[in-house]
């Protein structure tokens, strides 16, 4: 008796040959229904507008400032403020007083890299300057280059 002929390829395992089941390709796939682009765009615009509105309400964010002066003398704090303003008019000064100490910080930097660039220049003028993490005004940080 002759062996039966199959359309399936055979794998030989040494002594006998066994047919291999190969999956058939689905030749008759239905195409996906077309997506209406204007519907998606309207929803996306609505989400983006919501995010933009929320972002506009954010006033402060974590960032960096350069502490220029810490001490008990108001005149020295004002002198340091004037020196910074003359050399770096684009940086905003922040003078705080917590009895009996005055602190002068300058700048609104979102990225440490930007703060370090100014820090090295300020350090040449005032050797006691320090770079510190702080909450910064987001709108003013966008003005600093």
């Amino acid at each position: 008796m002759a062996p039966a002929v199959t359309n399936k390829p055979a794998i030989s395992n040494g002594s006998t040959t066994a047919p291999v089941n190969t999956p058939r390709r689905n030749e008759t796939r239905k195409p996906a229904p077309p997506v209406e682009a204007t519907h998606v765009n309207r929803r996306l615009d609505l989400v983006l507008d919501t995010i933009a509105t929320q972002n506009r309400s954010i006033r402060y964010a974590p960032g960096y400032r350069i502490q220029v002066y810490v001490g008990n003398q108001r005149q020295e704090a004002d002198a340091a403020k004037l020196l910074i303003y003359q050399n770096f008019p684009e940086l905003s000064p922040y003078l705080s007083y917590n009895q009996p100490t005055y602190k002068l910080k300058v700048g609104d930097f979102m990225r440490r890299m930007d703060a370090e660039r100014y820090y090295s220049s300020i350090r040449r003028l005032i050797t006691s300057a320090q770079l510190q993490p702080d909450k910064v005004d987001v709108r003013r940080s966008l003005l600093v280059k």
Side-chain angles (χ1 to χ4, degrees):
M1 194 180 204
V5 177
T6 63
N7 291 337
K8 298 178 182 177
I11 295 179
S12 174
N13 62 0
S15 62
T16 61
T17 16
V20 174
N21 293 328
T22 56
R24 290 187 176 181
R25 291 186 181 175
N26 189 0
E27 302 289 333
T28 58
R29 281 194 175 173
K30 294 181 182 179
V35 177
E36 188 176 327
T38 56
H39 173 70
V40 172
N41 288 341
R42 278 190 221 128
R43 288 182 55 200
L44 183 61
D45 286 342
L46 184 67
V47 169
L48 290 176
D49 288 342
T50 304
I51 292 171
T53 303
Q54 290 173 347
N55 286 343
R56 274 189 229 113
S57 67
I58 297 173
R59 176 82 179 177
Y60 296 100
Y64 298 91
R65 287 198 174 131
I66 300 169
Q67 183 172 284
V68 177
Y69 176 79
V70 176
N72 299 337
Q73 302 297 319
R74 173 71 187 240
Q75 295 82 11
E76 290 180 24
D78 288 337
K81 183 177 176 181
L82 181 63
L83 180 65
I84 294 296
Y85 181 73
Q86 288 172 345
N87 291 290
F88 305 99
E90 67 275 12
L91 297 181
S92 303
Y94 297 93
L95 182 63
S96 64
Y97 178 69
N98 190 1
Q99 191 172 357
T101 307
Y102 290 95
K103 289 184 182 181
L104 177 66
K105 295 181 182 181
V106 295
D108 291 289
F109 305 103
M110 294 294 289
R111 297 181 299 176
R112 186 177 178 99
M113 183 176 67
D114 296 333
E116 286 176 349
R117 188 170 3 112
Y118 275 98
Y119 174 66
S120 62
S121 301
I122 290 174
R123 181 88 180 195
R124 291 183 200 129
L125 296 174
I126 302 171
T127 57
S128 63
Q130 296 178 343
L131 184 61
Q132 295 185 339
D134 203 349
K135 282 189 176 181
V136 297
D137 188 339
V138 173
R139 292 183 185 122
R140 287 187 180 177
S141 70
L142 298 174
L143 300 175
V144 176
K145 294 183 180 180

